[in-house]
Amino acid sequence: MNLRAYGNEIRWTIVVVVLAVVGVIALWPRDADQQQEQTAAPTPPPAARAIDPAQRAAAALQPCPAAGGGPAELAGIAGSCLADGRPADVGSAVAGGPTLINLWATWCAPCRTELPALQAYAEQPGAVRVLGVQVQSDPADGLDLLAQLGVHFPNVHDGDNRIRAALKAPNVLPISYVVTASGEVRRIDPPVAFKSPEEIRAAVDRTLGSAQ
């Protein structure tokens, strides 16, 4: 091998080594960032607002009923009664007669239209009992919304989603169920947001009729 060829070989060896080092340096920050992302702790959800007794007074909700018994699928399933903050057994709350259960959330725009319609229906002669179940939203925000809308029928907060799971509720809001006098739970289909008490009465009567 002559000197010129040897010199060229040395130069190419140096070039290859330099390129390899540059490649490692270029990749290192990216790997470090990925590792940091993989090990970073998830951002915790925001803490629920503390409920002021004045909020409960402003909402003026009716007490959650407690009759005992009720549908088997709801037996022992409890929520937090928004009227007083105490545990409320939903199975007991809907026992003793036909009841309309309505699931809603503060972020649900159609729910804001439906809740006043439900209140108007609940005030009509011959209406079945109405029980609201607030899901996937802060109970303090729920009290504020109910006070703002003038909604006073009993409501419970489903903080752990046990009520929603027991009802096998789909991922859609609002959605309503009718509990018959015999304790059968039937979903109102199709799940639409009601705009008037007349629409609610028709849907309840239709659902109760199909259960007979």
Side-chain angles (χ1 to χ4, degrees), residues 28 30-40:
W28 173 256
R30 186 182 306 168
D31 293 340
D33 291 343
Q34 291 175 347
Q35 183 178 8
Q36 183 175 4
E37 291 176 0
Q38 293 172 354
T39 57

Side-chain angles (χ1 to χ4, degrees), residues 81-208:
C81 183
L82 286 176
D84 54 21
R86 297 176 181 175
D89 186 290
V90 179
S92 296
V94 300
T99 305
L100 172 62
I101 302 176
N102 176 258
L103 274 61
W104 61 276
T106 55
W107 48 262
C108 166
C111 299
R112 294 171 177 257
T113 300
E114 186 176 71
L115 284 166
L118 287 164
Q119 178 62 38
Y121 165 75
E123 294 173 353
Q124 290 184 349
V128 304
R129 296 175 303 178
V130 179
L131 177 69
V133 178
Q134 182 193 352
V135 301
Q136 297 180 329
S137 47
D138 190 279
D141 294 340
L143 282 169
D144 288 344
L145 179 61
L146 294 175
Q148 174 188 339
L149 297 177
V151 173
H152 305 296
F153 57 81
N155 271 269
V156 298
H157 182 255
D158 187 21
D160 54 9
N161 285 318
R162 291 186 64 201
I163 302 172
R164 190 173 187 179
L167 291 170
K168 297 181 175 61
N171 191 27
V172 60
L173 290 175
I175 190 166
S176 297
Y177 294 79
V178 172
V179 180
T180 68
S182 62
E184 182 182 2
V185 180
R186 298 184 67 90
R187 189 175 75 191
I188 294 181
D189 286 320
V192 298
F194 299 113
K195 298 180 180 179
S196 70
E198 291 74 26
E199 290 179 353
I200 297 170
R201 181 178 292 276
V204 169
D205 291 345
R206 181 178 69 249
T207 307
L208 284 174

